[in-house]
């Protein structure tokens, strides 16, 4: 799939796309990221991409004209690549704006992106935001990372790309870690331990050294359920509602009074 990223800071993306397990997905073009520097679409004289808001107030607004020229270039490049491809598509590309006013990103949305052949056009805002007329005409979805304030949409875009890339086949060494991901069954993860067996006088839970696979699985599930009940009761309620808990899970929770 292809992601086109419109940003004032394309250099911010390049190092991250070359690191870690997700690098495989980006370098193989399984997740094909094309970066577009918004300043390249400014009026040549000043390379200006922002101006003061009508009506006054603090901060600057991203100008509609450079944004529209950049988006037109992206649409043209995607159409050209699509016509050249073996299986041209008919669905229009989603245009995603990262914005504090967007809907929070979820693993369900990440999974949907990872299964969509068309990918998306990602727009990273800076300053106070974009001219609303651009949003109204072109943006199909606004996504936030949560209720805290960042200085722009670049880190949210990188976050989405990372989350999608690690779901590509062959990117994680162990395919099972997908299914064991926190949130794929709606629960938090269990604790993990490795060598040394004793560190600063502290051992590891003895069940993990017992070699009893069924007991280990039961202990881990219990850890997941209790951690989720204590830290994220909202997630436990959701897992209950969605029927993701087994009869054994429910029995254990009621035994623990959760
Ligand atoms: C008081 C008005 N501010 C909104 C909270 C203005 C504002 C702050 C920060 C406007 C834009 C930004 C830049 N943030 C993003 O572009 C952004 C973001 C974020 O700040 N938090 C969580 N998710 C995201 S996605 C994009």
């Amino acid at each position: 799939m292809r992601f086109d990223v419109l940003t004032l800071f394309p250099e911010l993306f390049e190092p991250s796309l070359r690191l870690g397990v997700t690098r495989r997905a980006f370098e193989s073009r399984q997740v094909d990221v094309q970066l577009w520097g918004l300043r390249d679409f400014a009026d040549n004289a000043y390379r200006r991409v922002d101006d003061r808001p009508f009506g006054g107030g603090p901060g600057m607004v991203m100008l509609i004209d450079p944004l529209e020229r950049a988006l037109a270039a992206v649409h043209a490049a995607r159409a050209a690549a699509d016509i050249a491809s073996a299986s041209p598509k008919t669905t229009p590309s989603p245009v995603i704006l990262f914005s504090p006013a967007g809907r929070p990103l979820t693993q369900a949305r990440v999974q949907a992106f990872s299964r969509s052949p068309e990918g998306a056009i990602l727009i990273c805002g800076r300053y106070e935001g974009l001219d609303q007329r651009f949003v109204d005409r072109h943006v199909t979805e606004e996504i936030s990372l949560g209720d805290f304030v960042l200085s722009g949409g670049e880190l949210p875009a990188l976050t989405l790309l990372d989350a999608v890339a690690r779901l590509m086949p062959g990117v994680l060494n162990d395919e099972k870690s997908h299914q064991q991901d926190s949130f794929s069954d709606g629960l938090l993860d269990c604790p993990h331990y490795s060598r040394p067996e004793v560190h600063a006088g502290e051992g590891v839970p003895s069940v993990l050294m017992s070699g009893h696979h069924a007991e280990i699985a039961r202990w881990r599930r219990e850890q997941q359920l209790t951690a989720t009940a204590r830290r994220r009761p909202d997630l436990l309620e959701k897992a209950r509602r969605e029927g993701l808990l087994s009869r054994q899970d429910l029995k254990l929770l009621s035994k623990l009074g959760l």
Side-chain angles (χ1 to χ4, degrees), residues 54 63 95 131 167 187 193 195 226 248:
F54 284 131
L63 294 169
V95 177
D131 188 304
L167 294 181
L187 299 180
Y193 299 87
R195 295 195 297 171
T226 54
Q248 216 182 357

Side-chain angles (χ1 to χ4, degrees), residues 154-207:
E154 281 77 12
L155 291 172
L158 270 170
T159 300
L160 174 66
L161 292 171
D162 180 87
V164 169
R166 63 182 287 289
L167 294 181
M168 293 295 114
V171 169
L172 296 190
N173 300 317
D174 181 357
E175 289 298 314
K176 283 201 185 96
S177 36
H178 288 285
Q179 290 140 35
Q180 288 179 4
D181 276 352
S182 168
F183 304 119
S184 60
D185 70 354
L187 299 180
L188 302 182
D189 205 357
C190 62
H192 306 283
Y193 299 87
S194 187
R195 295 195 297 171
E197 203 178 315
V198 179
H199 169 78
E202 201 180 355
V204 308
S206 57
V207 61

Side-chain angles (χ1 to χ4, degrees), residues 98-100 125-129 143-146 148-153 156:
F98 292 100
S99 153
R126 283 266 151 179
Y127 317 120
E128 287 308 293
I143 294 181
S144 163
L145 283 199
F148 46 88
V149 184
L150 299 169
S151 54

